[in-house]
Amino acid sequence: MLRQPRALLFIRTCCHGNHLHTSSVLGDPRDPKKQWNDFTENLEKKGKWWKGKYQQAFKDEQEKFRKAKKDFRDKRESHYQGSSTHGEVEGDIPGKILNVLPTPAVFNAKFDKALSKLPDGVDLMRKTPRWCWPYLQLSRVDKPIGSWLLFLPSAWGICMAAPSFGLPNIPLLALFGVGSILMRGAGCTINDLWDIDLDKQVVRTRDRPLASGQLSKQQAIQWLALQLGLSSLILFSLNLQTILLGVSSLILVGSYPLMKRVTDMPQLYLGLTFNLGALMGYSAAAGGLGIAPFSLYCAGICWTMIYDTVYAHQDKVDDRRVGVGSTALKFGDRTVGICTNFTSAMGISLFMAGLAGGCGPLYYISSFLTCTMIMKGLSVVNLDNPKSCWEFFIMNRNIGLVILLSIIVGKFL
């Protein structure tokens, strides 16, 4: 009698233990070839069964994860925007207000039409000789949004210092406007000098003049010295307190690019830097400080945390890859909720500034609407879509302009 292979003996034992007939598995014990064919065929069938079971379990887990993710997003949107089950409930005022307000794209379109007569940065750059273009690009003259965001807190402070039923100091506003353009350009130059190696690795920044090799470091340093020199002429025309505040801001501007390397919250440091103009503007106009400018400063910091966190979501993939920090990476999926809390803090700070600055009821109504408009933008922004993040970012220039107008009008009404 032929000796059976060990694999056949093993399968006999397993089948016997499961109360199966070995003949149905192994066939005729006197035909080893048939036994082996039946054995391999049975293993193949069982292998396909386990493979199908594993694939089905994997698909079930994927579907469960998709459903949980969708439920989370639906709950978040219903909480901040108002859904069919939240926004339609009688007395749900927040949801109804947010649904009435325009989206960031519509809001921006209305302001772009109103501001279309102002000179555009790209048009101004094209009127200069071509050799100037890399220097102007280094200062982001072609992207004036940063100059607006730097100027607006200063303008808030100047206008808040105006007396009741009085207009703000227009020449001082113009002076701070020019200073904001120069200091924003200087800050961008410093930033690009620090980040030249990082900018080469990021898609959005690899075409900047230093990263692309259009300018050398020596040329950038010379351009930086020119901008700081002109800025100092403006600064030293102001009072001593404002000069000291301005000098302290230079320390913040120079060290800001380092923050993304040593902390996960460089946006907070940017808020401290950008909004120091609220204190400088008030000090230059009123000759001193008080509760109103410090409240505006706090409101500005919260505001910067909101718009720059959303802005940072454009670069979160590259930031994670090159190893730099940002609040976009730190907050992650909690960005909308955390930024909503910052919006509430911003509203409280604006309210305190209005009380201390003697603003009228129209200021408070307008401040409330601007904060709800930010919440509207947060409820619809797609943090994984750079275009959506950019629309939200641009919207904040218009938000700042509304706050500025509300302060000016609030001194009268």
Side-chain angles (χ1 to χ4, degrees), residues 311-373:
Y311 180 83
H313 273 273
Q314 296 178 102
D315 300 328
K316 59 186 175 184
V317 175
D318 290 323
D319 287 347
R320 186 181 291 110
R321 178 170 54 84
V322 300
V324 297
S326 74
T327 48
L329 295 177
K330 184 175 180 62
F331 297 162
D333 293 336
R334 300 175 296 148
T335 294
V336 171
I338 293 174
C339 286
T340 301
N341 293 335
F342 276 117
T343 306
S344 301
M346 176 184 173
I348 294 171
S349 298
L350 289 174
F351 179 80
M352 294 294 295
L355 286 179
C359 293
L362 194 61
Y363 165 81
Y364 301 104
I365 296 172
S366 180
S367 297
F368 171 76
L369 290 176
T370 54
C371 290
T372 53
M373 187 61 217

Side-chain angles (χ1 to χ4, degrees), residues 90 138 208 216 306 326 332:
E90 184 177 356
L138 185 62
R208 289 176 176 174
S216 66
I306 298 163
S326 74

Side-chain angles (χ1 to χ4, degrees), residues 7-8 38-39 79 116 172 189-190 193 196 308 326 331 362 372:
L8 297 181
D38 290 344
F39 170 67
H79 182 70
S116 60
L172 196 59
T189 304
I190 294 171
L193 283 168
I196 183 170
D308 208 54
S326 74
F331 297 162
L362 194 61
T372 53

Side-chain angles (χ1 to χ4, degrees), residues 69-144:
K69 190 175 182 180
K70 184 177 182 299
D71 291 343
F72 171 77
R73 288 180 173 176
D74 290 343
K75 288 179 181 179
R76 185 183 68 182
E77 290 178 4
S78 66
H79 182 70
Y80 294 113
Q81 181 180 6
S83 65
S84 58
T85 59
H86 179 74
E88 299 300 326
V89 177
E90 184 177 356
D92 182 10
I93 304 300
K96 291 181 178 179
I97 291 176
L98 291 180
N99 286 330
V100 169
L101 292 173
T103 62
V106 175
F107 187 68
N108 292 340
K110 293 180 179 180
F111 271 84
D112 289 342
K113 185 177 180 180
L115 298 174
S116 60
K117 294 183 179 180
L118 292 177
D120 183 71
V122 176
D123 293 335
L124 289 175
M125 193 175 72
R126 287 174 178 171
K127 293 178 181 179
T128 62
R130 186 174 288 271
W131 64 267
C132 294
W133 291 6
Y135 293 97
L136 298 178
Q137 286 177 332
L138 185 62
S139 297
R140 314 288 196 273
V141 173
D142 56 327
K143 298 177 180 178

Side-chain angles (χ1 to χ4, degrees), residues 4-248:
Q4 297 179 1
R6 291 184 179 181
L8 297 181
L9 293 174
F10 173 74
I11 200 66
R12 277 179 180 276
T13 305
C14 292
C15 292
H16 178 71
N18 289 308
H19 306 288
L20 297 175
H21 295 288
T22 58
S23 60
S24 64
V25 179
L26 300 176
D28 189 352
R30 292 171 297 178
D31 187 354
K33 186 175 182 180
K34 190 174 187 307
Q35 289 177 345
W36 182 254
N37 290 339
D38 290 344
F39 170 67
T40 55
E41 183 180 352
N42 186 59
L43 285 181
E44 185 177 354
K45 287 180 181 179
K46 286 189 174 294
K48 289 181 178 178
W49 182 81
W50 279 108
K51 183 178 179 182
K53 187 174 182 181
Y54 171 76
Q55 288 177 339
Q56 185 61 40
F58 182 71
K59 289 179 181 178
D60 291 343
E61 287 296 322
Q62 279 189 323
E63 187 62 31
K64 184 178 178 182
F65 175 76
R66 288 194 202 99
K67 187 176 183 301
K69 190 175 182 180
K70 184 177 182 299
D71 291 343
F72 171 77
R73 288 180 173 176
D74 290 343
K75 288 179 181 179
R76 185 183 68 182
E77 290 178 4
S78 66
H79 182 70
Y80 294 113
Q81 181 180 6
S83 65
S84 58
T85 59
H86 179 74
E88 299 300 326
V89 177
E90 184 177 356
D92 182 10
I93 304 300
K96 291 181 178 179
I97 291 176
L98 291 180
N99 286 330
V100 169
L101 292 173
T103 62
V106 175
F107 187 68
N108 292 340
K110 293 180 179 180
F111 271 84
D112 289 342
K113 185 177 180 180
L115 298 174
S116 60
K117 294 183 179 180
L118 292 177
D120 183 71
V122 176
D123 293 335
L124 289 175
M125 193 175 72
R126 287 174 178 171
K127 293 178 181 179
T128 62
R130 186 174 288 271
W131 64 267
C132 294
W133 291 6
Y135 293 97
L136 298 178
Q137 286 177 332
L138 185 62
S139 297
R140 314 288 196 273
V141 173
D142 56 327
K143 298 177 180 178
I145 177 64
S147 299
W148 276 109
L149 295 175
L150 182 61
F151 166 70
L152 285 167
S154 305
W156 298 350
I158 294 171
C159 294
M160 188 63 77
S164 298
F165 302 102
L167 291 173
N169 189 329
I170 303 300
L172 196 59
L173 282 171
L175 205 62
F176 269 79
V178 175
S180 297
I181 296 172
L182 290 171
M183 281 307 300
R184 191 263 181 142
C188 291
T189 304
I190 294 171
N191 184 77
D192 286 7
L193 283 168
W194 278 107
D195 292 348
I196 183 170
D197 294 327
L198 290 177
D199 287 345
K200 293 177 182 178
Q201 304 176 54
V202 178
V203 175
R204 188 177 59 84
T205 59
R206 63 178 54 165
D207 293 329
R208 289 176 176 174
L210 280 173
S212 62
Q214 298 177 57
L215 293 176
S216 66
K217 285 187 176 181
Q218 184 178 359
Q219 289 173 314
I221 291 172
Q222 292 171 352
W223 177 241
L224 173 63
L226 177 61
Q227 293 175 99
L228 291 176
L230 294 174
S231 300
S232 64
L233 293 177
I234 296 175
L235 179 63
F236 288 112
S237 68
L238 305 174
N239 59 49
L240 180 60
Q241 187 178 55
T242 308
I243 292 173
L244 294 175
L245 288 170
V247 171
S248 65

